[in-house]
Amino acid sequence: MTDAELFAKLQEVDARVVQLPNCRPLAVEVPVGFLLAFMGKLKSRPDLRFIQLLDHLAMDWPEKNEFELVYQLYSIEHDLLLAVHTRISRESPYALTMSRLWPIAQYQEREVFDLFGILYEGHPDLRRLFLEDDWVGFPLRKDYKDYFMLEMPE
Amino acid sequence: MFNRQGIKQQQVKVGGKQLTIIQAPRPQRTSQVATVWGALCSLWNGMRVTWRYFSRPSSIVTQQYPENREHLKIPERFRAQLRLKYDENGEHNCTGCKICDVQCPNASIEVIDMRGESGKKEIDRFVWRMDICTFCNICVMVCPFDALEMSNEFESSVYDKRLLTYQLNRYAGPTKKAFEKIESSADRERLKVGRQPFEAPTPLGIAAGVASGPGVSVAPPSTMKKDDI
Amino acid sequence: MSLEIRTLSEIMNPPQTADSPLSTQEYFVNMGPQHPATHGVLRLVLKMDGETIREVIPVLGYIHRSIEKMAEYLHGRQIVHLTDRMDYLSALANNWAVSRAVETAMGVQTNPRIETIRTLICELQRVQSHQLWWGVLGLDLGALTSFFYGFRDREEITDILEETTGARLTMNYIQPGGLMFDLHPNFVPRVKAFIKYFRPKLDEYETLLSENVILQERLRNVGVLSAEDAIGYGATGPVLRASGIPLDLRKQQPYGVYDQVEFSVPVGTVGDCWDRYWIRIEEMRQSLGIIEQLIDNIPDGKFMEMKPAAKLKLPAGSFYLQIETARGSLGVFLQGTGEDIPHRCHFRSPNFNNLWSVTKTAVGGKIADLVAIVSTLDLVIPDVDR
Amino acid sequence: MQIWSPLYRPSIWSFRTSIGNREVGMDMWQVTTLAARIQESLLNQDFVRAGIFLGGGLAATVAAVSLLGLVLVYAERKVAAHFQCRLGPMRVGWHGVLQPIADGIKLFLKEDIIPTEADRLLFVLAPFFCILGMFLAILVLPVSPEIQIIDLDMGVIFLAAVSGFGVFGVLLGGWSSNNKWSMLGAMRAAAQIVSYEVSLTLALLVVVMFSGSLKMSEIIQSQAAGWWIWRAHGVGLVAFLVYVIASVAELNRAPFDLSEGESELTGGFHTEYSGLRFGLFFLAEFINMVLASAFAATFFLGGWMPFHLGDWQAFNAVMDRIPPLLWFVGKTSFMVFLFMWFRWTFPRLRVDQLMALEWKFLLPVSLVNLLVGAAVVLSGFYFFS
C-alpha cells in the first residue's frame, strides 16, 4: 500500500487528518480531541489493524508553545507503518492515555511524563520512570536548566 | 545434540511477504521410563561435553596478560591512544584547523592555534583529554590533512585522572609541508618551538576551554612532575 | 478525571489493614539494582507470597544517561557514537539505525558494497550477541560453564570485528554515508574459519544445555507470553517471534541486502521461555547461513559515499526508521529542522519494550522462573534506560 | 568391658544375613580405632598414652580438616577452571598452589560485619553449627583399618542423625541475618535437606541390609568379596545413584544449590556473612562434600577395602598390595571429582521441581529398591554369594 492509498484510507476513518510533509513513514496529524477515537478505529478496522504501538514520544516546540506527541503504529497484518502526530498546549499539557488500546502505552507514556511532564488522563499508574520521584523539572523540555548542564562551546 | 529431525519448515505469508518459518520444537517425553532414561542420557551427554574440555588442556584459552606481552597481537586499527603522525624528521601535518575540535562529540580535543612567522595559522597546542574521550575515531576520520592516528598502546592506566590529559604536538609551529619549503635546517629548528607532552597534573582549564583561543598563553606545566602528586 | 501521581515508596508501603488470620503475609523484595540475574542495574520490586511472585514492578533509571538530551546538541555523525553505549551488544546495528535514518533524511544512496558489509557485520554481531546471551542464560540458571563457553566463542567474533572496526565493544563503525574503514584483508578468511569453527560448537551448545532435562524443565511452560500480549506489550524480535508471530524486519521491510539472501525465521508455538531460548539458538544458525551466503559475494566499491567531515543537514520533517537488532526492532526517530542538529532524536529501544511483558508473565511463578524469564528476554539495561 | 573392643560383634541386628557373616577365604582385616586405643590405654592405667592419643587425635583431625579445606578450595578452582577452558589460579606459588592460603589470609583479615538488625548471638553461632555437624560425622568415618575415631555399633544411625545437623547452621544463619533473601535461602535449605534425608537414609538401608550391620567396619568388611555397587544386580547401583543425588542435595551443591543460588538469591543464607564466618560456612561445605564422598565410598565402593572379586585369590592378593588408605583416598577423590563435575555441568533446579524430584521420584524409587534389595538378600541371589 502506498502512502497515498493509506492516507486516503485514513481520511475515510476521519476526515480531519492532515498529512505532514516530508516524513517517513507517512505521518498524519490529528487534533488531540479526536485522537483516542481515531486510534481506536485504526486499531480495530480490518483493513488497517494497527495492532502494535511501536513507539510514543513527544517533542517540545517552545516557540510555538506546543508539545507534539507522536505515536508510531505498525500493522503486522498489512505491513503498514504510520506516525500519528498531535499537538497539545504547553501550558496545560494534558493528553488522554492510550493504555487501554495498547498496554505498552502505559510505560511509554510514563517515559514521556517523566521527561516532558505531559499528564495522561486515565493513566493507571502515572509515575516517574527514569528519574527519582522527587526530581524537579522535566529534562527533555527545551527550556530545562540544570546545575550539571554545561554550556555548549561555540 | 538436541534432536533436529522433527523440525519442519513452513511457508507463510505475513503482511504480504512470503517467508519461511521454522517452528520451535517442544521437548517431549513419551513414557515414564523413557523420561527417566532420556533424562539420565541428557545429563550424561552434558557431562561428556565438559569432560571433553577437561581432558584436553590444549583447549584452554586463558592468556596470562603481563607474561604474554611479547606475543600479544593488537590489531593495527585498535584505538587506544590518539597520536599526531610524525615523519622521520619529527614533523607533523597538523595545521591547527580545529575541524577535529569541532567534530569531537564530547569536547575531548582542544586545539589552540597561533599566528606563525609567516602569518599563517599554526598549531600551538593540541590537547587531548583521554579521560573523557570515547575513542570514536571521528577526529581521525574528519582530519583533512591526515595528521592524526589512533595508536595501539593500550597500557595507559594511571592513578590520577588528571594525568590523562595529553599534549600531542611535540613542537609548535608549521606543518610538514611548510617545512619542505624551508631549505636551511637552522631555520627549521628555529621555527619549531618545543612543546613537551604533559606528563604531570594538568590544569584542567586548558582542556576545558577556559584558557583557549589564540594569544592566551598557558604556563607550561614543566615545573611539576609525576612525583609531585 | 483525577490525576494521581504516586511514588514507589507509597506502593511499597501500603496502608496497613487488618489481616485475616488465614492470610499469609505478602512482602516486598528488591531484586536489583545490584543482582546477578538482572544483567546490569535493573531493579525489580517483587511482591512475594512465600516463593511465589504476586507482582513485579520494574524500576528503571539506574543507568539513564540522557542520550536523547545529548543527541539534541549533536549532529548525526556524533549521535552514532552515542548509540554504541545503548545496546552495547549490538552496537553495529545501533550505528546502522542512526546512519540509515540520517541517510534517509538526507536522501543519500549507499553503494552495494557498503550495504553488504553492513549486513555481514551486523549478522556477525547478532551471532556474537546470542552467544553472550546463551552463556549468561546458563549462568542465570546455575550452569556456570556455559558462560565461559559462550564467552570463549564470542571472543572469536570480537577479534574479527576488532581487526576491522578497531574496537571490541563500542565500535562506531557504521557511519552516515558509509563505513569508517574498509574491510580488513583478514576479514573474509577469518570469518570463514570462524564459521567452520562455530558450527560444531553450536551443536555442542545444544548438547550441553538444550538437551539437558533440567534446563528443559526450567524453561518449558515458564513465562508464557501469548501472541496478543506480546503485541500489546510492544515486544519485538525473538520475544515476539517466540509467541508465534513470524515478524522479522529483515523480511518485512528489508534493508541492507537482506532481500538478496535466503534465511528462515524461527518461530515459537507457545511463547514460553523454551521457545525464546530455541529461537535464539536457531537464529545463530540462520545468521551463520546469511554470512556464508554473503562472505564470498562482497561487491567492489567505495566504503564511504560522503566526505568525512561533510555537514549532515537534516531537512525539516520527521523520520522514523527501524532496524532488527539482536533483541528486536530498534527505531530511530529524527526530527529535522533544516539544521544539522536534530530538533529531537528518540530511540525506540527494543529492550525497553520487551521488558514490560515481565509484569505479566512472571506473576504466579517462582523467583527462579523470573530469573529464567528475564534471562530469555535478553535485556540489556543500558538500552532500556538510555 | 567389651563395649569398645574392636573385635566385639554387636547383637542388635538379630537378623544376620549370610553375606555379612561370610568368610571369603581370607583373613579378616584387623580394625583398630582411636577410641579403642584410648580405651586400651585407660584400662592399662596408662593415662599419658591415653592423653597423647586423645590430644594427637584431636589435633590430627583439626589439622586434617583444615588442610583438606585448603586442598579442596584449590581443587575446586582448578577443576572448575579446566572444565571451563581456563587455567584457574596461577599467580600465588607454582600454578597457584598457595592460592587457598592467600584466600584464607584474606578471609581472616576481612572486616567481620554483623548487620545491625541481625540476631547477633545466632548470627555468630550459625557457622559453628555447620562445623559441628561436620565434625560429628567425622567421628565414624573409616579412613583405613587403622584410622578411625570410633567404630560405633550403630554407626549408620549415628551418621543419619548428624548428617542433618548442618541444616541448623544454614537455617539459623539465614534467619538471624534478617535479610529476606537469606531467609528464602534458609527456608529452601531446610525443606531441601529434610526431604532428601529420607531417600539418603533409604539408600543407606539397602547397604545395611546387605551387610547385616550398622557398624562401619563391618559394612566395609562385608565388601571383601566385591563392592555393593555391583554385587546385587543393580540394586546397589540404584541405591548408589539415589545416594549420590540425595547427598548432592544435602550438600547444597549444584544442581541443587538452591539455598545459595547466587543468580537467584544472591548467595542465599550466607549473603550477609563476611570474613571468617563466611570462610567457616565454606569450610563446612567443602568438608561435607568430602564426607559425603567418603561415605559413598564406604557404603558402595568398599571404603578402604581393595577391589576384590569373590574368591579369586591371585587377583585379590595383587589388589591387597595397594594399601587401604590409598584405596580410600582414591575412591573419595573420584566421588569428589564427580560432585565437582556435576556442579560445573548442570543448571540448577527450581524449588518445586526439587521437591517433586524427591517426593515423587526418588522416594518411590528408593522404596522399591529397598524391597527388591530385601528380596535379593533373602534369596541370596547376588554375585559371589
Side-chain angles (χ1 to χ4, degrees), chain A residues 8-76:
Chain A
K9 272 219 175 110
L10 295 178
Q11 276 191 321
E12 280 176 34
V13 176
D14 198 324
R16 287 164 292 209
V17 295
V18 183
Q19 188 176 356
L20 294 174
N22 191 23
C23 287
R24 209 186 132 171
L26 176 73
V28 294
E29 191 177 327
V30 185
V32 67
F34 313 111
L35 188 65
L36 190 58
F38 181 67
M39 294 291 226
K41 282 179 200 155
L42 287 189
K43 192 187 173 195
S44 55
R45 262 180 77 122
D47 54 344
L48 293 172
R49 301 282 292 154
F50 283 102
I51 54 171
Q52 198 168 23
L53 175 65
L54 284 176
D55 202 0
H56 172 47
L57 64 125
M59 281 189 277
D60 188 10
W61 299 100
E63 58 273 18
K64 295 183 201 162
N65 202 16
E66 277 172 340
F67 285 122
E68 188 170 348
L69 302 181
V70 186
Y71 297 86
Q72 304 284 354
L73 304 178
Y74 184 59
S75 159
I76 293 171

Side-chain angles (χ1 to χ4, degrees), chain C residues 27-30 35-37 51 140-142 144-145 148-149 152 212 214 217-218 222 367-369, chain D residues 83-86 180-181 184 188 255 262-266 344-353:
Chain C
Y27 59 101
F28 283 96
V29 182
N30 274 311
H35 190 280
E51 278 252 356
D140 285 345
L141 300 186
L144 256 73
T145 303
F148 289 94
Y149 292 172
R152 177 196 63 198
N212 191 306
I214 302 176
E217 289 304 314
R218 281 294 300 277
V222 167
I367 293 180
D369 290 340
Chain D
F83 273 129
Q84 297 165 348
C85 307
R86 293 187 289 125
K180 285 165 188 166
W181 294 114
L184 277 173
R188 283 180 176 190
E262 58 274 283
S263 61
E264 293 161 20
L265 301 185
T266 63
W344 300 112
T345 306
F346 298 143
R348 185 182 303 124
L349 273 82
R350 203 172 57 210
V351 62
D352 55 330
Q353 290 165 353

Side-chain angles (χ1 to χ4, degrees), chain D residues 13 55 152 187 246 270 297 299 332 343 345-346 365:
Chain D
W13 195 254
L152 285 182
M187 282 329 209
H270 56 60
F299 288 116
T332 310
R343 172 163 181 186
T345 306
F346 298 143
V365 164

Side-chain angles (χ1 to χ4, degrees), chain D residues 228-288:
Chain D
W228 288 126
I229 187 171
W230 54 267
R231 251 173 90 191
H233 302 285
V235 176
L237 185 65
V238 172
F240 176 71
L241 289 178
V242 170
Y243 177 86
V244 167
I245 295 173
S247 59
V248 172
E250 285 260 313
L251 291 170
N252 284 329
R253 279 180 71 86
F256 302 103
D257 58 341
L258 284 103
S259 58
E260 286 159 38
E262 58 274 283
S263 61
E264 293 161 20
L265 301 185
T266 63
F269 64 90
H270 56 60
T271 306
E272 299 286 354
Y273 279 89
S274 62
L276 201 55
R277 295 183 220 290
F278 179 74
L280 284 180
F281 269 124
F282 254 65
L283 182 72
E285 185 189 323
F286 277 118
I287 302 297
N288 274 331

